[in-house]
Amino acid sequence: DTGVSQDPRHKITKRGQNVTFRCDPISEHNRLYWYRQTLGQGPEFLTYFQNEAQLEKSRLLSDRFSAERPKGSFSTLEIQRTEQGDSAMYLCASSRGGSVHSSYNSPLHFGNGTRLTVT
Amino acid sequence: AQSVAQPEDQVNVAEGNPLTVKCTYSVSGNPYLFWYVQYPNRGLQFLLKYITGDNLVKGSYGFEAEFNKSQTSFHLKKPSALVSDSALYFCAVRDEPGGFKTIFGAGTRLFVKA
C-alpha cells in the first residue's frame, strides 16, 4: 500500500489560466474521488469514478471543471479559466471495491492534496 | 440526500479528561458513518467506521464512537484525552440511495490543554 499520490503539491497560477492536477490512487482501489477543501472547512465533494466511469458530479461544480480517469487508474482534474474563488486545497481519495456492503463500508484513503492559489 | 452536522466548531478539554465530539446525520437509507482526523499540515486519515449492529465501535488511537439510531447521532469519544489528540475531526456519511459518494461535516477543532 503505497498510498494515494497527488501532483503537484502546490500550484500558483494567474487568473484566467488553466491548471491540471494528477492523482494516483492505491492500485487495488477501483473508486476515486475528488474533493475541494478551504481553510478550516470540511471537504466538499466534487466528483467520483468507479473504474473509468464518472458516476457523479456535484451540481455545485461549474463547467470549467472537468475530470477524467481514462484507464481506470490515475485521474486528472482540470480547471479552465481559473478564478480567485478556485483557490483551495484539492484532495483526491480512493476506496476499495468488492461486495456492495463492503464497498459502502470501505473508508476513503486521502492523498496530501494539491494547494491551488489563483492570483 | 444525505447530510451530516457537527454542531460544535471547537471543543476544549484538559488532558486526561474524557472528550466527546458530536455528529448527527440525515440519510434516506441505512447509514454508513465514518470519522476522519486531520492533523496540522497532514492529510485526512481514517479513524473509525460504524459497524452494523455495534452501537459502540472502536478505532485508532484509543478513539471510539457511539451510534444512536433514534437520535441519528454518531458521537466520537475518548476516555482520556492527550495533547497529541489536538486536531480537526470530521464526521462523514454515505447512504445507499446516494451511491458511494461520501459527504463530510464542517469539522470540529479539538484543543487538548496540558
Side-chain angles (χ1 to χ4, degrees):
Chain A
D1 183 345
T2 56
V4 176
S5 175
Q6 291 188 245
D7 183 68
R9 291 294 304 274
H10 303 273
K11 179 70 177 179
I12 300 173
T13 191
K14 292 185 177 179
R15 188 166 47 115
Q17 297 295 303
N18 299 345
V19 294
T20 300
F21 309 142
R22 177 181 170 121
C23 172
D24 287 87
I26 294 171
S27 57
E28 62 267 28
H29 287 183
N30 68 344
R31 290 193 184 86
L32 185 148
Y33 302 76
W34 285 100
Y35 286 85
R36 177 170 60 192
Q37 186 179 27
T38 53
L39 194 62
Q41 298 299 310
E44 175 192 13
F45 172 77
L46 296 179
T47 188
Y48 86 96
F49 293 82
Q50 179 167 304
N51 300 314
E52 66 275 9
Q54 187 174 17
L55 295 190
E56 187 168 348
K57 186 175 175 181
S58 169
R59 282 170 286 184
L60 300 175
L61 206 60
S62 83
D63 56 8
R64 296 184 297 106
F65 287 70
S66 62
E68 293 183 341
R69 195 183 182 196
K71 298 181 180 178
S73 56
F74 74 92
S75 175
T76 57
L77 177 69
E78 181 183 18
I79 309 174
Q80 295 182 326
R81 305 181 302 281
T82 52
E83 301 172 357
Q84 288 187 322
D86 297 332
S87 296
M89 179 73 85
Y90 289 83
L91 301 172
C92 177
S94 66
S95 69
R96 189 185 299 273
S99 69
V100 171
H101 179 73
S102 67
S103 293
Y104 279 107
N105 249 338
S106 180
L108 299 178
H109 296 253
F110 282 87
N112 287 326
T114 293
R115 183 170 297 284
L116 173 67
T117 302
V118 182
T119 62
Chain B
Q2 69 270 52
S3 67
V4 62
Q6 294 182 242
E8 302 154 317
D9 290 337
Q10 185 171 309
V11 169
N12 298 309
V13 65
E15 188 174 35
N17 283 0
L19 69 88
T20 298
V21 182
K22 296 179 181 177
C23 171
T24 59
Y25 65 90
S26 174
V27 295
S28 302
N30 292 321
Y32 294 84
L33 296 155
F34 306 83
W35 277 99
Y36 291 82
V37 60
Q38 190 170 35
Y39 297 103
N41 299 316
R42 293 179 62 181
L44 276 155
Q45 299 175 33
F46 166 69
L47 203 53
L48 55 77
K49 65 182 179 183
Y50 170 58
I51 307 294
T52 305
D54 289 347
N55 288 343
L56 187 67
V57 294
K58 296 189 184 296
S60 307
Y61 311 121
F63 282 91
E64 55 194 26
E66 187 173 19
F67 174 74
N68 187 313
K69 186 174 182 178
S70 63
Q71 295 184 3
T72 60
S73 66
F74 189 57
H75 298 333
L76 182 70
K77 297 174 182 286
K78 187 173 183 181
S80 178
L82 299 173
V83 171
S84 57
D85 292 330
S86 299
L88 198 50
Y89 290 83
F90 295 99
C91 184
V93 67
R94 285 181 188 138
D95 70 351
E96 292 177 20
F100 297 103
K101 174 177 66 180
T102 304
I103 299 302
F104 285 78
T108 298
R109 187 165 296 281
L110 173 66
F111 284 105
V112 181
K113 187 176 178 181

